[in-house]
Amino acid sequence: MPDPLREAVERLAPFLEQTLLLAADADAERQTARLERLRKLFDSRLRHLDTLSRPPLVVVIGGTNVGKSTIANLLLGRPLGLPCPTAVGTKAVGLAVPTADAAAFRDAAFLPWFDKRAWTAPEPLNEPFDGDRPRLFLQAVDGGPRVALADTPDIDATLERNHRTTEDVFLLADAVVYVTTPTKYADEACVEYLARAARYGKAVWVVFNRGERDSAGLRDLVDNLLPAEGLPRDTPVLAVPFRPGIETADGPWRGELAAVLPDLAARGPAIVHRAAVGTAAGLAAEYGGLLDHLAGEAAAVEAWLHRARQAAAREGERYAHRMPPLPRDVLDDAVLTVLKELRVPVVDWVYEKLGAILAPVRRAARQAVAAVQ
């Protein structure tokens, strides 16, 4: 006579594997996003090596309301972005490039997934999205250092679309002007970009906005945070004190700020080359880390499946001596015992999904018993 419980256990196995699929789906979105970022990094920095002849791309990045647009305008010496006292002001990229190099940045190979428009005024950078693609407003500039300067949305934006826009431009950057404040300099979401800039070989200037050069926060930034994120101790750090009318005020910081873009332009070819080499090394390291993660996940899932089969077999042995008809809830209890014993690696929310599969599991078990009664 067929063993109804053993048949029920066999019917249970596919549903246990379905739980694995739920776990895989939960982790897949995060890993797919990571792979997509690596693909963009490769395409934008390494696939077209002829773009290394363009001037360095300098990206102004920072957290919410740290004064990125104000600093970008001061660096450029003319309006580019629109300073905004409220959170999430900048929603598009403003890119100022030398007129002679503008064609290289209008080219389809440069950020091909962006909607590129001519810059006419700062206000459109703060307007809400009006399409499916991120926007870039290009301003051609006559004279000045041979660099391209980008003002970007917040890197800690709660709006995912703003964050992705900055992420895409950051991946292309050869140099980063990192703007922070005494209240934001240790923000983990922002500091991550300093670590990645170091890992990808990007030149870094730090602007400590609304802070004094002798402040404890600035000393902590220079002595502890920058070295911890892999940046050299001689990373240029500029303190810009906060006071009303800073755009027109004078002070030693103004001359130091005016020297940033000429310094980066003078080192332009070396900065671009170093960023390309750093990107290749960083990409290889990140890809290796991703493969290690996937290998670990595969091993964990295999171990989980082995435990699932053992648990199912153990429950089968427990009830093997019992003959039908069995009480209605016996097999339900056996199934729940197996499910409660197992833990899916990494993904906890999968247990919220178990309700969706318990019903067919119970149904399969009861059908097995009914078939021999």
Side-chain angles (χ1 to χ4, degrees):
M1 175 182 291
D3 182 341
L5 194 59
R6 288 186 183 279
E7 291 185 6
V9 168
E10 290 297 324
R11 289 175 180 269
L12 173 62
F15 293 103
L16 295 178
E17 292 174 5
Q18 182 177 349
T19 308
L20 281 177
L21 291 176
L22 287 172
D25 288 344
D27 199 45
E29 184 176 353
R30 182 169 61 89
Q31 299 305 333
T32 299
R34 190 175 175 188
L35 281 170
E36 177 65 10
R37 187 180 54 145
L38 294 180
R39 185 192 64 78
K40 283 185 175 180
L41 186 60
F42 176 79
D43 285 346
S44 59
R45 295 293 307 156
L46 302 174
R47 188 178 294 279
H48 304 288
L49 291 179
D50 55 326
T51 60
L52 296 182
S53 61
R54 62 167 172 75
L57 173 61
V58 182
V59 177
V60 180
I61 63 171
T64 306
N65 289 132
V66 296
K68 297 183 301 298
S69 295
T70 295
I71 297 300
N73 293 346
L74 288 169
L75 287 168
L76 192 60
R78 66 176 70 203
L80 177 60
L82 181 65
C84 182
T86 60
V88 198
T90 305
K91 300 179 181 65
V93 176
L95 179 63
V97 302
T99 300
D101 297 298
F105 293 93
R106 293 193 188 101
D107 189 270
F110 179 76
L111 290 171
W113 55 93
F114 272 63
D115 177 8
K116 297 174 189 172
R117 308 179 184 183
W119 185 97
T120 57
E123 288 75 12
L125 274 70
N126 289 24
E127 293 175 356
F129 289 95
D130 58 0
D132 296 331
R133 298 192 293 164
R135 295 162 300 157
L136 183 149
F137 293 88
L138 192 144
Q139 178 188 114
V141 177
D142 293 322
R146 188 172 180 254
V147 298
L149 180 71
D151 184 24
T152 61
D154 306 329
I155 54 179
D156 59 349
T158 55
L159 296 178
E160 181 63 23
R161 196 168 183 179
N162 282 6
H163 185 271
R164 287 200 307 268
T165 297
T166 300
E167 171 87 2
D168 289 345
V169 182
F170 170 81
L171 293 178
L172 269 72
D174 304 295
V176 169
V177 175
Y178 178 82
V179 183
T180 190
T181 64
T183 59
K184 295 282 287 188
Y185 76 90
D187 190 307
E188 185 176 348
C190 301
V191 168
E192 176 195 0
Y193 278 79
L194 282 175
R196 292 170 63 195
R199 191 160 64 246
Y200 297 151
K202 302 179 189 296
V204 176
W205 270 80
V206 177
V207 175
F208 195 66
N209 198 22
R210 307 169 190 160
E212 301 292 339
R213 66 178 64 215
D214 59 350
S215 66
L218 184 57
R219 289 196 298 273
D220 184 38
L221 173 71
V222 173
D223 295 339
N224 300 310
L225 192 145
L226 296 183
E229 300 307 322
L231 291 165
R233 289 188 177 274
D234 61 353
T235 298
V237 179
L238 170 61
V240 177
F242 173 78
R243 56 182 179 273
I246 193 171
E247 290 84 351
T248 58
D250 291 323
W253 59 267
R254 181 173 285 280
E256 295 172 344
L257 197 62
V260 173
L261 295 188
D263 169 70
L264 294 172
R267 298 186 288 132
I271 286 175
V272 173
H273 178 75
R274 181 187 170 199
V277 173
T279 296
L283 187 148
E286 287 211 27
Y287 189 66
L290 177 60
L291 291 179
D292 289 342
H293 171 82
L294 294 176
E297 283 296 294
V301 168
E302 181 61 32
W304 184 90
L305 188 56
H306 178 68
R307 284 176 23 233
R309 289 169 177 152
Q310 284 186 325
R314 188 162 55 251
E315 285 303 301
E317 291 294 337
R318 179 181 173 187
Y319 292 102
H321 67 282
R322 303 188 64 169
M323 299 296 292
L326 297 175
R328 183 178 183 86
D329 293 332
V330 166
L331 292 181
D332 288 356
D333 290 342
V335 169
L336 288 173
T337 299
V338 173
L339 292 177
K340 289 177 181 177
E341 184 175 333
L342 300 174
R343 295 293 296 176
V344 179
V346 179
V347 185
D348 289 331
W349 67 262
V350 73
Y351 299 102
E352 300 174 10
K353 305 292 185 182
L354 286 179
I357 68 169
L358 279 180
V361 168
R362 288 170 174 159
R363 190 162 52 247
R366 289 171 181 159
Q367 287 173 353
V369 173
V372 296
Q373 286 181 339

